[in-house]
Amino acid sequence: MKKYNVAVVGATGAVGEEIIRVLERRNFPVKELRLLASTRSIGKKLLFNNQPIAVQELKDEAFDGIDYAIFSAGAKRTREFASAAIRAGAIVIDNSSAFRLDPEVPLVIPEINPGDLKNHKGIIANPNCTAAILGTVLWPLHCEAKITRIIVSTYQSASGAGAQAMEELKQQVGQFVRNEAVTKSVFPHQIAFNVFSHNTKIEDNGYNEEENKVVKEIRKMFHEPHLPITATCVRVPVLRAHSESVVIETEKKLTPERARQILSHAPGVLVVDDRDKNHFPMPLAATGELDVLVGRIREDLSNPHGLALFISGDQLLKGAAWNAVQIVECLIHK
């Protein structure tokens, strides 16, 4: 089996470390794994297949000989270094928002639009975590009944803001239970025992950046540029895995039974829908899972062509690391 040289940019971050674990989990044919990060992480060692690998400095020359470079270091770093990786002959899979809406850059979820990979020009964008989790579940329903409207409210975990945000939640919980003053630095509001509107800028249309990303990215991946979508994105005091309450309207009536049947055979989806035991998707159950969990599948009582669902998916996996590795797997098996 052919093996490949893979670089992980942002290797010491929450997503970067998950990429390393997913490569192990998938027994990916790695010849050399090159871990890249900022200067403050140089020399730090991370385990891959029980072997310590030292982190190297992220610079243009670091991509020499690399086949695939998976970026997870933010849009600024992608814009700064992606061109160097491409010049070195690597294909870039980027987890940031830098190129997601660029019409020249494919935005891909392998369960939805793998055909778009053939149009890449050296860089492929990984979708926003919320859009990835949502799209994976809705795509098979769209193929069956054509979705004409999506209403989604999200319950987004601290992991979406990175490792420091997860630590802040833990720290605040400890401060709260010890009756100490709760301190904050990552989030604008207390995250422990609280919920608040997603911590991104409110844009001119009244929606925050996260909500607008969901709308635009689902439209791009579904190849439905005018699909009506409205989103409300909220942070909740959950360490890991995002959840989403979704209502869809469809052109063709879709019964809960038929939707459950479709989703039970859909790639990347796991139906968790036990009404008798009141057991449905939860972030705790979704944590560590490559599949997206879906349940609470029921008719929308306000619309004869509506269906309601509840979704939980691991933001660090299907929402980031796993989807990126899946893209590479698609490229090597094309």
Side-chain angles (χ1 to χ4, degrees), residues 270-289:
L270 179 64
V271 175
V272 180
D273 201 38
D274 189 335
R275 295 181 180 182
D276 291 339
K277 294 182 179 178
N278 199 6
H279 183 71
F280 302 107
M282 297 179 288
L284 275 178
T287 296
E289 290 288 336

Side-chain angles (χ1 to χ4, degrees), residues 158 165 168-169 171-177 180-197 235-237:
E168 179 159 291
L169 173 56
Q171 175 185 299
Q172 289 184 359
V173 168
Q175 291 171 331
F176 186 92
V177 298
E180 297 172 358
V182 172
T183 59
K184 58 184 187 292
S185 59
V186 179
F187 289 119
H189 309 288
Q190 178 179 320
I191 183 66
F193 307 102
N194 191 28
V195 299
F196 50 84
S197 177
R235 286 282 186 208
V236 296

Side-chain angles (χ1 to χ4, degrees), residues 3-208:
K3 294 189 175 184
Y4 301 88
N5 296 329
V6 179
V8 178
V9 179
T12 57
V15 175
E17 292 191 3
E18 285 299 331
I19 291 168
I20 297 167
R21 294 190 190 106
V22 172
L23 290 169
E24 285 182 330
R25 189 169 175 176
R26 299 292 294 174
N27 196 26
F28 189 90
V30 174
K31 183 178 180 181
E32 178 193 350
L33 183 63
R34 200 170 298 170
L35 306 181
L36 306 176
S38 62
T39 53
R40 66 178 179 272
S41 296
I42 294 173
K44 179 179 180 181
K45 292 184 178 180
L46 300 175
L47 290 179
F48 176 65
N49 289 333
N50 294 318
Q51 297 297 316
I53 300 177
V55 174
Q56 301 179 36
E57 182 182 357
L58 173 59
K59 54 186 179 180
D60 288 358
E61 305 81 59
F63 299 100
D64 291 347
I66 292 296
D67 299 302
Y68 297 100
I70 305 177
F71 276 64
S72 188
K76 181 180 178 181
R77 288 287 180 261
T78 295
R79 293 190 183 99
E80 188 176 354
F81 291 101
S83 58
I86 294 168
R87 285 196 304 271
I91 296 175
V92 171
I93 296 87
D94 180 42
N95 270 301
S96 82
S97 61
F99 295 103
R100 286 178 187 152
L101 299 179
D102 186 326
E104 297 296 312
V105 176
L107 178 67
V108 174
I109 294 175
E111 290 90 347
I112 296 175
N113 57 331
D116 290 354
L117 290 172
K118 68 180 182 293
N119 300 318
H120 82 79
K121 298 178 180 178
I123 187 166
I124 299 155
N126 219 31
N128 168 270
C129 53
T130 309
I133 292 164
L134 179 65
T136 301
V137 171
L138 295 191
W139 177 249
L141 302 179
H142 183 61
C143 292
E144 170 77 10
K146 188 173 174 59
I147 295 172
T148 57
R149 188 184 185 203
I150 300 170
I151 304 167
V152 56
S153 297
T154 72
Y155 308 75
Q156 295 185 223
S157 64
S159 65
Q164 290 183 337
M166 297 169 75
E167 285 305 311
E168 179 159 291
L169 173 56
K170 292 178 185 177
Q171 175 185 299
Q172 289 184 359
V173 168
Q175 291 171 331
F176 186 92
V177 298
R178 292 191 299 268
N179 202 30
E180 297 172 358
V182 172
T183 59
K184 58 184 187 292
S185 59
V186 179
F187 289 119
H189 309 288
Q190 178 179 320
I191 183 66
F193 307 102
N194 191 28
V195 299
F196 50 84
S197 177
H198 193 278
N199 52 300
T200 46
K201 180 184 176 183
I202 302 295
E203 299 185 332
D204 291 343
N205 64 356
Y207 288 76
N208 62 43

